Amino acid sequence: MTATAGAPSITASIRAEIDVILVGFARLSAQSTIERAAGAMIAALAAVNKIMFCGNGGSAADRQHLAAELMGRYLKDREPLSALTVDTSALRAIGNDCGYLEVFARRLHGVGRHGNVLVALSTSGNSPIVIAAIEAARTTGIVTVGMIGTKGGRMDELYDILIKVPATRTNRIREMHIAVGRKLCDFVEDALC
């Protein structure tokens, strides 16, 4: 397959896209809040507390992935670390009985305790159910760690620790969220195992 006149080749397009990714990750690496988030997670788990994750839409898959890395194993054979996310049965039951806005908040009120950490992911920074979860966490004494994009949205000022990735497009934000999340798992595992 060859490029049509005036159109970039697929190879040039791939290189340009990777260059954008590299620039974003280089800017992300300067954030000290990643280390602060890892410290909060390590302290919580060392004190026999738990890490809870929430995220809506595409961020739901990321939250499940990160909880599984801690509960299962990341890079080391070890005992499971206490990491939770809402399961599909609870999500459906709470959504049906209390309204979808309550799916994370209600779970936090039920199982969250002072000393836990909530890691909340949102590409837009405006997800109402994630905002409700953050507000529930704050009333319970749960430390909140937020991962959002450059624009921040309504969540920009709600977190105890904010990791604002340098991207505005959803796909770029999610790439950085999962990379940061996996690095947090790496820090936690190295510190505790």
Side-chain angles (χ1 to χ4, degrees), residues 105-117:
R106 188 161 179 89
R107 183 144 170 115
L108 284 167
H109 284 302
V111 299
R113 299 291 177 262
H114 179 81
N116 294 162
V117 172

Side-chain angles (χ1 to χ4, degrees), residues 166-177:
T168 56
R169 283 180 34 199
T170 299
N171 60 329
R172 294 285 88 86
I173 295 167
R174 290 198 56 225
E175 287 166 356
M176 290 185 186
H177 280 181

Side-chain angles (χ1 to χ4, degrees), residues 126-139:
N126 291 313
S127 173
I129 68 169
V130 176
I131 290 170
I134 296 162
E135 290 168 349
R138 294 181 83 169
T139 65

Side-chain angles (χ1 to χ4, degrees), residues 59 121-126 147-152 167-171 173-174 177:
S59 296
L121 295 86
S122 176
T123 57
S124 69
N126 291 313
M147 286 198 269
I148 60 177
T150 300
K151 292 180 181 175
T168 56
R169 283 180 34 199
T170 299
N171 60 329
I173 295 167
R174 290 198 56 225
H177 280 181

Side-chain angles (χ1 to χ4, degrees), residues 18 20-21 24 59 62 74 88 95 101 112 124 154 160 180 193:
I18 290 172
V20 168
I21 293 167
S59 296
D62 293 341
Y74 182 61
T88 54
L101 186 64
S124 69
R154 292 175 38 215
D160 296 312
V180 168
C193 305

Side-chain angles (χ1 to χ4, degrees), residues 34 103 106 139 156-157 162:
I34 297 170
V103 295
R106 188 161 179 89
T139 65
D156 207 8
E157 302 296 324
L162 178 62

Side-chain angles (χ1 to χ4, degrees), residues 8-24 169 172:
S9 71
I10 292 174
T11 301
S13 177
I14 291 168
R15 283 187 186 137
E17 192 71 10
I18 290 172
D19 286 345
V20 168
I21 293 167
L22 291 173
V23 168
R169 283 180 34 199
R172 294 285 88 86

